[in-house]
Amino acid sequence: QQQVKQSPQSLIVQKGGISIINCAYENTAFDYFPWYQQFPGKGPALLIAIRPDVSEKKEGRFTISFNKSAKQFSLHIMDSQPGDSATYFCADQGGKLIFGQGTELSVKP
Amino acid sequence: EADIYQTPRYLVIGTGKKITLECSQTMGHDKMYWYQQDPGMELHLIHYSYGVNSTEKGDLSSESTVSRIRTEHFPLTLESARPSHTSQYLCASSELGGGSYNEQFFGPGTRLTVL
């Protein structure tokens, strides 16, 4: 079964700093790579997704960088805010959505 | 407003009881899913459906069963609950294929505790 390996497991960042979460995927060629954000007591919600033929996608303060040769992709949160404190899941969307292990982000004021 | 609903939000029940977790969506989505998530852990797909009368088992083996009699409704049933079933159960839905990314919309989850 395909896996997505996510790191770090937890991350503490000061307000205004940059949060970086990394993911590595296995042998897929045509998948999308989304990031989901989950607040306590809520279901996950799509944050941003990238196609495999694009190296970077930016939406506001959130950027996905995709390195196809290394089979890695990462989420960068610029100017991190306390409201960004949540658990972030990367995923591999092929036939099914395979989630990474999650990163608990805490942004300190 | 289009949305996805799960009831109950919290359920504490004794061993051996039969339970049904409800999931409904108003978006007209063909695909629906059930995930199991332990606290602080990743989501594991346990069931999915491509449409009415279609149900498939996911990657994580589960003793639960599902049915899809109506497009908007995808209930999950445990015939005899056990403490090992204690977890959070998340329902989701999405459109069928199309070549672009099909976002999965998640409900708020049901937190199940079996004593």
Side-chain angles (χ1 to χ4, degrees), chain A residues 29-101:
Chain A
F30 303 109
D31 297 359
Y32 281 83
F33 297 94
W35 286 87
Y36 281 78
Q37 179 188 52
Q38 185 177 27
F39 292 104
K42 305 283 187 182
L46 177 67
L47 185 63
I48 187 172
I50 195 168
R51 289 165 34 184
D53 57 346
V54 175
S55 61
E56 185 175 283
K57 183 175 182 180
K58 184 176 181 179
E59 288 185 359
R61 296 183 294 109
F62 301 92
T63 300
I64 300 179
S65 296
F66 186 72
N67 186 333
K68 192 170 184 176
S69 61
K71 295 185 178 179
Q72 294 178 345
F73 58 111
S74 60
L75 175 70
H76 295 234
I77 305 174
M78 311 300 288
D79 187 26
S80 299
Q81 299 296 311
D84 297 331
S85 297
T87 300
Y88 292 81
F89 293 94
C90 60
D92 181 347
Q93 174 86 59
K96 303 171 191 173
L97 195 58
I98 309 295
F99 284 91
Q101 296 81 6

Side-chain angles (χ1 to χ4, degrees), chain B residues 27 33 53 57 71 73 75 77-79 87 91 93-94 96 99 108:
Chain B
M27 295 172 279
Y33 316 80
N53 294 325
K57 288 191 178 295
T71 298
H73 195 215
T77 298
L78 273 167
E79 290 292 332
S87 189
C91 181
S93 71
S94 72
L96 266 178

Side-chain angles (χ1 to χ4, degrees), chain A residues 11-25:
Chain A
L11 182 61
I12 299 174
V13 174
Q14 289 297 124
K15 179 182 176 181
I18 302 173
S19 304
I20 302 174
I21 306 171
N22 300 298
C23 281
Y25 65 97

Side-chain angles (χ1 to χ4, degrees), chain B residues 27-100:
Chain B
M27 295 172 279
H29 287 164
D30 287 307
K31 292 189 78 171
M32 295 190 73
Y33 316 80
W34 276 103
Y35 291 88
Q36 186 173 338
Q37 182 184 32
D38 292 324
M41 304 294 287
E42 69 260 50
L43 289 77
H44 292 286
L45 181 68
I46 53 175
H47 298 284
Y48 61 101
S49 166
Y50 287 110
V52 171
N53 294 325
S54 155
T55 60
E56 302 285 345
K57 288 191 178 295
D59 302 316
L60 181 68
S61 177
S62 174
E63 294 168 345
S64 58
T65 59
V66 292
S67 62
R68 189 87 183 275
I69 299 172
R70 303 198 317 263
T71 298
E72 64 272 20
H73 195 215
F74 192 40
L76 180 146
T77 298
L78 273 167
E79 290 292 332
S80 180
R82 295 206 300 269
S84 61
H85 296 137
T86 295
S87 189
Q88 172 158 264
Y89 293 83
L90 288 158
C91 181
S93 71
S94 72
E95 295 179 354
L96 266 178
S100 59

